[in-house]
């Protein structure tokens, strides 16, 4: 009995120790930080931005010091499909690609319009290394290569810089965590709705944007990009852009807003602006069906803090505060109506209105399912906005009031 127990123990250790036989050492891998996809002459062009460990050991704040070479390098491969390009890349890549650390995927606008996003998501969903929390972008009026070629100040890795800008731009767009791969897959293939993806555009192009020497230039706007609007898709293919106001409207309807800045351009009969930070926005949408007509009611609640006054307004007057509240409510309602109108013009349900109808009354949804695009473009919208102004900041009197 002891002999058989000893044999069993030996066999157990043999199986455990053999587990390292298929290992891949770190110095045999290329860590991919971002992927870009473009389209040209019926070909798919894929850009792999990989981390250079020697170049990332920079100085404080990401300043380019120490190490050797740039912080990242970008390999470009052309193929018939995305996976074909990946396979052809093996002929030029010095190491095996590791996809588990990708932070962002940038899709060229031409690819998004011509080829659509289905091939990209098919590749990402089938690859076990690719995580579902990758932030997605569409290069607005540009290519993925242009975006990935910009060395920006502060951040040496373009992909890392993009991810950080999504969070910082949240007060403008209302989208604090970005549009992720899992969001698009859920919308497109599980919720009867059309997807949207955040746009990124180049602020200004110069001849040395892809050269680390431009980091020594003090003019930061010469080499940067901005988070700009939302790319709207009809199923898999891009059809339009939402502007910044419409992007805020989309964020509010989808209850993704933490805080947004609203600028009102009216100061009674005076010239000037009043700006508000709207916080803790809570929105809900319900559907009503009567006599063959569909109406969606969007209700928004929240609170606002006065951030800026560039005209002589007595903010200590309760009546003036009520007027300011009214303007904030009107501005948010305008954003929402403009967003829905744009989506109806493109016949793209990017809000999940169809899913709401299905949840409330599956039988009615069956009636409209086959012709939902046409029905959606004709639904009625009602907005109920209630934002309360709770603070005027650290001072009551404005510096513009004359004594």
């Amino acid at each position: 009995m002891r002999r058989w127990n000893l044999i069993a123990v030996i066999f157990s250790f043999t199986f455990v120790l053999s587990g390292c036989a298929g290992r891949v050492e770190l110095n045999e891998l290329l860590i991919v930080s971002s992927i870009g996809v473009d389209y040209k002459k019926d070909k798919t062009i894929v850009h792999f931005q990989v981390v250079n460990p020697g170049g990332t050991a920079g100085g404080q704040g990401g300043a380019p010091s120490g190490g050797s070479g740039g912080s990242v390098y970008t390999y470009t491969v052309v193929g018939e499909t995305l996976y074909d390009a990946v396979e052809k890349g093996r002929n030029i890549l010095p190491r095996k690609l590791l996809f588990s650390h990708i932070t962002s995927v940038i899709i060229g606008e031409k690819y998004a319009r011509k080829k659509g996003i289905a091939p990209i998501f098919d590749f990402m969903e089938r690859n076990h290394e690719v995580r579902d929390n990758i932030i997605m972008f569409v290069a607005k009026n540009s290519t993925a290569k242009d975006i990935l070629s910009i060395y920006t100040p502060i951040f040496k890795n373009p992909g890392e810089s993009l991810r950080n800008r999504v969070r910082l731009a949240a007060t403008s767009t209302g989208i604090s965590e970005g549009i992720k791969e899992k969001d698009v897959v859920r919308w497109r293939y599980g919720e009867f709705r059309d997807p949207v993806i955040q746009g990124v555009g180049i602020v200004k192009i110069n001849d040395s944007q892809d050269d680390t020497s431009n980091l020594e230039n003090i003019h930061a706007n010469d080499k940067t990009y901005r988070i700009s609007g939302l790319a709207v898709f009809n199923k898999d293919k891009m059809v339009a852009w939402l502007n910044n106001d419409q992007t805020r409207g989309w964020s509010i309807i989808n209850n993704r807003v933490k805080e947004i800045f609203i600028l009102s351009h009216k100061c009674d009969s005076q010239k000037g602006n009043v700006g508000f930070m709207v916080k803790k926005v809570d929105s809900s949408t319900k559907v009503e069906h009567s006599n063959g007509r569909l109406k969606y009611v969007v209700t928004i609640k929240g609170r606002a803090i006065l951030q800026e006054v560039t005209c002589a307004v007595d903010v200590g007057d309760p009546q003036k505060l009520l007027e300011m509240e009214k303007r904030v409510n009107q501005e948010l309602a305008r954003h929402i109506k403009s967003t829905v109108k744009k989506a109806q013009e493109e016949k793209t349900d990017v809000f999940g209105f169809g899913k709401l109808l299905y949840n409330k009354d599956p039988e009615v949804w069956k009636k409209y399912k086959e012709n939902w695009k046409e029905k959606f473009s004709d639904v009625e919208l009602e907005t109920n906005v209630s934002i309360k102004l709770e603070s005027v900041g650290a001072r009551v009197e404005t510096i513009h009031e004359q004594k």
Side-chain angles (χ1 to χ4, degrees), residues 153-191:
I154 310 301
F155 287 96
K156 298 171 65 179
N157 185 321
E160 183 183 0
S161 178
L162 271 175
R163 181 180 60 182
N164 201 59
R165 284 162 200 251
V166 169
R167 178 176 57 83
L168 294 175
T171 54
S172 174
T173 64
I175 308 172
S176 59
E177 298 180 354
I179 305 297
K180 299 180 180 179
E181 186 251 2
K182 59 183 178 183
D183 295 325
V184 179
V185 171
R186 184 180 74 252
W187 295 333
R188 174 66 186 92
Y189 302 104
E191 294 189 356

Side-chain angles (χ1 to χ4, degrees), residues 5-173:
N5 287 341
L6 179 61
I7 292 173
V9 170
I10 293 173
F11 268 103
S12 298
F13 274 108
T14 301
F15 287 124
V16 171
L17 293 174
S18 65
C20 297
R23 71 184 185 277
V24 179
E25 300 293 343
L26 186 60
N27 60 5
E28 299 174 358
L29 297 172
L30 276 176
I31 299 176
V32 182
S33 62
S34 295
I35 290 180
V37 185
D38 285 319
Y39 177 83
K40 186 176 182 179
K41 295 181 179 179
D42 294 327
K43 299 291 184 180
T44 298
I45 307 170
V46 183
H47 316 283
F48 302 103
Q49 190 158 95
V50 299
V51 176
N52 173 25
T56 57
Q60 185 176 4
S65 62
S68 60
S71 60
V72 293
Y73 292 112
T74 302
Y75 291 91
T76 298
V77 187
V78 180
E80 295 294 331
T81 65
L82 196 153
Y83 190 78
D84 181 50
V86 174
E87 284 298 305
K88 288 182 177 178
R90 301 182 192 277
N91 298 327
I92 65 172
L93 297 169
R95 298 178 182 177
K96 180 182 177 181
L97 292 174
L98 178 66
F99 294 105
S100 58
H101 293 278
I102 297 174
T103 59
S104 58
V105 172
I106 299 93
I107 307 168
E109 182 171 343
K110 187 175 181 180
Y111 186 97
R113 290 183 181 274
K114 296 287 187 179
K115 295 285 287 185
I117 56 176
I120 297 174
F121 284 92
D122 180 74
F123 170 79
M124 292 193 294
E125 287 288 288
R126 294 180 187 279
N127 192 313
H128 70 278
E129 291 183 353
V130 179
R131 300 176 183 178
D132 63 0
N133 62 348
I134 297 171
I135 299 179
M136 307 297 299
F137 298 96
V138 172
K140 188 173 184 178
N141 300 322
S142 185
T143 64
K145 182 178 181 180
D146 287 340
I147 301 297
L148 289 176
S149 297
I150 299 179
Y151 278 107
T152 60
I154 310 301
F155 287 96
K156 298 171 65 179
N157 185 321
E160 183 183 0
S161 178
L162 271 175
R163 181 180 60 182
N164 201 59
R165 284 162 200 251
V166 169
R167 178 176 57 83
L168 294 175
T171 54
S172 174
T173 64

Side-chain angles (χ1 to χ4, degrees), residues 3 47 54 175 186 207 277 286 310-311 374 386:
R3 184 175 62 182
H47 316 283
I175 308 172
R186 184 180 74 252
D207 294 336
M277 184 63 72
K286 66 178 183 179
T310 61
C311 53
E374 297 295 331
S386 178

